[in-house]
Amino acid sequence: MLIGLAGFAAGAINALVGSGTLVTFPTLVALGYPPVTSTMSNAVGLVAGGVSATWGYRAELDGQWDRLRWQIPASLAGAVLGAYLLLHLPEKVFIEVVPALLVLALLLVVAGPRIQSWARRRAEAQGRSAEHVSPARLALLVFGTFAVGVYGGYFTAAQGILLVGVMGALLPESMQRMNAAKNLLALVVNIVAAVGYTLVASERISWSVAAIIAASSLVGGIVGAKYGRRLSPNALRSTIVVVGLIGLYRLLAV
């Protein structure tokens, strides 16, 4: 029951914010599962929630494919590297870096509107469209997406917040459209990680846990997408910050 509730909450939170692992991962560890087993089982299970969340936000993906065709391969490559690192490095190495990355992402989420406003004024002053994404910004975006993919393939927790932070600093997009892109890119990372774990270390996955999380997060993703799409940009941004701060506290308290 606890794992099912955590999976439902994670699916809903991932659709809204992208840090549902901060619910399921501590739950599994508290129930006695080893950290690596928790990470792998969680990544496999949350693929279902990522599918339902991405489907729920499919309308907001319209018009983003010219950019996503660069971001998706970056997420794929980063996820492969991150999954490899998880299998060959002590998990403690990455966990120690997570709080600093999460703080940086939250600062970018909060500062996103100001950064976008500055970029808009600068573009207009130079006679360019405010909606134009320069090659330099696109390159930075692809690199940032790759870096978050590495992180997501390794630890997965709060990768959605990192993605929204990176995109908010570089793109002239609304919160809801960035959230839709975040759901798709996070799903790509989770699929790669899940396939990698299954092929290389299936004996370290708790398949019963993964199945419970899959079923419950699938429903959670549907619910999260349904209500998340109704939130105003400020409400969605505030939700991301609040959940991120709670996750930061939980990480520091471990």
Side-chain angles (χ1 to χ4, degrees):
M1 286 182 63
L2 285 173
I3 294 172
L5 289 172
F8 175 83
I13 291 170
N14 276 343
L16 284 168
V17 181
S19 59
T21 297
L22 295 175
V23 176
T24 44
F25 179 78
T27 299
L28 295 177
V29 171
L31 291 174
Y33 292 93
V36 172
T37 296
S38 299
T39 297
M40 292 182 178
S41 306
N42 186 58
V44 171
L46 286 179
V47 167
V51 170
S52 60
T54 301
W55 178 255
Y57 268 92
R58 63 192 181 280
E60 283 76 12
L61 289 172
D62 286 346
Q64 298 196 63
W65 293 104
D66 284 346
R67 185 184 71 252
L68 287 170
R69 66 190 177 94
W70 296 99
Q71 286 184 274
I72 290 173
S75 285
L76 279 169
V80 170
L81 178 57
Y84 174 85
L85 292 175
L86 176 64
L87 296 171
H88 293 84
L89 290 179
E91 192 164 13
K92 183 180 179 182
V93 173
F94 229 68
I95 292 177
E96 291 177 349
V97 182
V98 171
L101 291 174
L102 188 51
V103 169
L104 175 61
L106 291 175
L107 289 175
L108 288 175
V109 171
V110 172
R114 291 183 175 83
I115 295 173
Q116 289 182 357
S117 178
W118 172 82
R120 188 176 294 109
R121 290 195 303 270
R122 188 167 180 266
E124 290 172 352
Q126 294 176 352
R128 294 184 286 107
S129 168
E131 304 303 313
H132 174 70
V133 177
S134 68
R137 272 204 290 172
L138 181 60
L140 281 174
L141 179 67
V142 171
F143 176 78
T145 303
F146 169 79
V148 176
V150 175
Y151 168 90
Y154 191 105
F155 190 62
T156 72
Q159 64 169 315
I161 294 177
L162 292 172
L163 279 169
V164 171
V166 169
M167 289 189 289
L170 295 171
L171 295 177
E173 288 284 6
S174 69
M175 281 298 297
Q176 291 290 4
R177 284 170 61 80
M178 287 190 293
N179 203 43
K182 173 268 294 178
N183 285 340
L184 175 60
L185 295 171
L187 173 61
V188 168
V189 172
N190 273 359
I191 289 175
V192 171
V195 170
Y197 301 156
T198 301
L199 293 177
V200 178
S202 61
E203 72 282 354
R204 303 176 76 177
I205 299 171
S206 173
W207 291 101
S208 59
V209 166
I212 294 170
I213 292 176
S216 55
S217 69
L218 181 69
V219 179
I222 294 170
V223 173
K226 178 181 179 180
Y227 291 100
R229 295 176 69 237
R230 302 176 184 178
L231 292 176
S232 68
N234 287 336
L236 183 56
R237 185 174 286 106
S238 298
T239 301
I240 292 173
V241 172
V242 170
V243 173
L245 289 174
I246 293 172
L248 180 63
Y249 169 78
R250 295 195 67 173
L251 284 170
L252 294 175
V254 172

